[in-house]
């Protein structure tokens, strides 16, 4: 696992946008797995700025979703489909044709989950999966004690996650209890995992993820099992890392030819 400590969220966004732009140069139709929440927004803004400036061609990129609320009406502005279309797909100049995600309003949720896992495989697998981290250590919506082998399935949100996400809704009561999320086993199949965490509120979860044991109690610790996982953190989110100085020295001495 590579840990990169950046000064702030904007620097993290630029660094990861560079990795995505490099990937699109190597593979113009790469399948990019995107995350929702506040943390990845600087990545999407940095990437959209490059596309607008003509320094990155994302015209053949394909975008896929990590997770989705269950039960929100189709088109609800806070459904993750709506959020990804608004924050990622449209700013990159793409359309819904370039986008795939699980159907949170399906009549048969279990079938929708299986369909999504199959669709990801049929699309050739995810090339780069962006991840945020919950204050409880979740990735996607894999809450603590999610199986490390799990596939895309329905999950029940913890009260803490519902409270964390209530800011996007008019009240806590409106935050759904159920979600569809790519499983941890599904996420681990992506070729490159890039987790961005910013702010003091993520410091404990980051320390457990990077320096704690691999454990389903901290779902993000599964990144330790991946051969190409990158954790980008700002100073506040890095503040409880015991090996912070080592991570800084490693990155400072990184060969110029080696990208994230
Ligand atoms: P946040 O969400 O970026 O809004 O903190 C992260 C997550 O829940 O994965």
């Amino acid at each position: 696992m590579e840990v990169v400590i950046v000064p702030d969220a904007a620097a993290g966004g630029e660094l990861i946008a560079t990795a995505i732009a490099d990937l699109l140069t190597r593979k113009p139709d790469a399948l990019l797995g995107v995350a929702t929440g506040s943390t990845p927004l600087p990545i999407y803004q940095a990437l959209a700025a490059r596309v607008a400036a003509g320094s990155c061609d994302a015209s053949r990129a394909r975008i896929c979703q990590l997770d989705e609320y269950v039960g929100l009406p189709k088109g609800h502005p806070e459904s993750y489909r709506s959020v990804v279309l608004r924050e990622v797909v449209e700013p990159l100049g793409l359309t819904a044709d370039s986008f795939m995600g699980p159907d949170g309003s399906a009549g048969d949720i279990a079938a929708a989950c299986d369909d999504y896992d199959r669709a990801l495989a049929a699309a050739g697998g995810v090339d780069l999966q962006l991840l945020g981290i919950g204050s409880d250590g979740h990735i996607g919506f894999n809450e603590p004690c999610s199986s490390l082998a799990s596939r895309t399935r329905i999950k029940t949100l913890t009260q803490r996650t519902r409270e964390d996400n209530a800011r996007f809704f008019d009240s806590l009561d409106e935050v759904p209890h159920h979600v569809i999320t790519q499983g941890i086993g599904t996420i681990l199949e992506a070729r490159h995992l890039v987790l961005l965490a910013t702010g003091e509120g993520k410091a404990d979860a980051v320390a457990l993820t990077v320096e704690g044991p691999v454990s389903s109690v901290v779902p993000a610790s599964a990144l330790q099992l991946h051969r190409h996982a990158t954790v980008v953190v700002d100073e506040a989110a890095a503040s409880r890392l015991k090996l912070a100085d080592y991570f800084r020295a490693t990155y400072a001495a990184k060969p110029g030819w080696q990208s994230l």
Side-chain angles (χ1 to χ4, degrees), residues 4 16 40 43 46 79-80 84 87 96 106 113 118-119 130 138 159 166 168 179 184 193 198 219 248 258-259:
V4 184
I16 297 171
I43 305 170
S79 77
Y80 282 175
V84 171
E87 303 288 357
C113 294
R118 270 194 297 273
L130 296 173
H138 71 219
Q159 183 65 7
F168 296 111
V179 291
I184 296 175
L193 300 179
T198 52
R248 282 194 190 90
Q258 207 178 26
S259 60

Side-chain angles (χ1 to χ4, degrees), residues 5-245:
I5 301 173
V6 292
D8 52 32
E14 290 292 344
L15 183 71
I16 297 171
T18 300
I20 296 172
D22 289 350
L23 169 63
L24 290 172
T25 301
R26 292 193 306 276
K27 184 175 181 182
D29 66 345
L31 182 57
L32 304 176
V34 296
T36 46
S38 309
T39 309
L41 295 178
I43 305 170
Y44 308 140
Q45 285 153 6
L47 198 59
R50 290 168 197 223
V51 168
S55 61
C56 171
D57 180 3
S59 59
R60 292 176 58 201
R62 298 171 296 149
I63 309 293
C64 68
Q65 202 175 327
L66 183 60
D67 45 17
E68 180 58 281
Y69 290 115
V70 167
L72 290 182
K74 259 200 162 69
H76 188 289
E78 292 309 323
S79 77
Y80 282 175
R81 178 184 173 85
S82 298
V83 171
V84 171
L85 287 172
R86 189 168 66 233
E87 303 288 357
V88 186
V89 174
E90 287 160 16
L92 294 182
L94 301 171
T95 67
D97 291 343
S98 312
F99 165 81
M100 58 198 280
D103 183 359
S105 60
D108 185 341
I109 291 292
C113 294
D114 292 346
D115 287 350
Y116 191 51
D117 260 354
R118 270 194 297 273
L120 290 173
V126 178
D127 289 295
L128 186 152
Q129 178 64 57
L130 296 173
L131 298 166
I133 185 169
S135 58
D136 63 2
H138 71 219
I139 46 172
F141 270 138
N142 293 283
E143 296 285 32
C145 294
S146 288
S147 159
L148 300 184
S150 50
R151 312 299 308 175
T152 299
R153 69 213 183 288
I154 189 166
K155 286 293 288 181
T156 305
L157 295 180
T158 62
Q159 183 65 7
R160 183 169 174 182
T161 298
R162 291 185 64 247
E163 284 167 4
D164 283 349
N165 286 8
R167 68 190 190 280
F168 296 111
F169 293 83
D170 288 336
S171 73
L172 178 59
D173 289 344
E174 286 183 26
V175 184
H177 287 268
H178 292 112
V179 291
I180 292 174
T181 181
Q182 284 190 34
I184 296 175
T186 316
I187 291 170
L188 290 175
E189 285 172 3
R191 293 177 187 90
H192 185 190
L193 300 179
V194 181
L195 186 150
L196 177 62
T198 52
E200 168 83 24
K202 302 293 172 69
D204 286 330
V206 165
L208 289 167
T209 294
V210 174
E211 296 173 343
V214 174
S215 167
S216 64
V217 174
V218 183
S221 66
L223 266 67
Q224 295 179 34
L225 299 171
H226 197 278
R227 60 187 293 195
H228 191 184
T230 309
V231 174
V232 180
V233 282
D234 69 357
E235 292 288 347
S239 58
R240 310 237 158 84
L241 287 172
K242 294 191 192 75
L243 293 173
D245 286 343

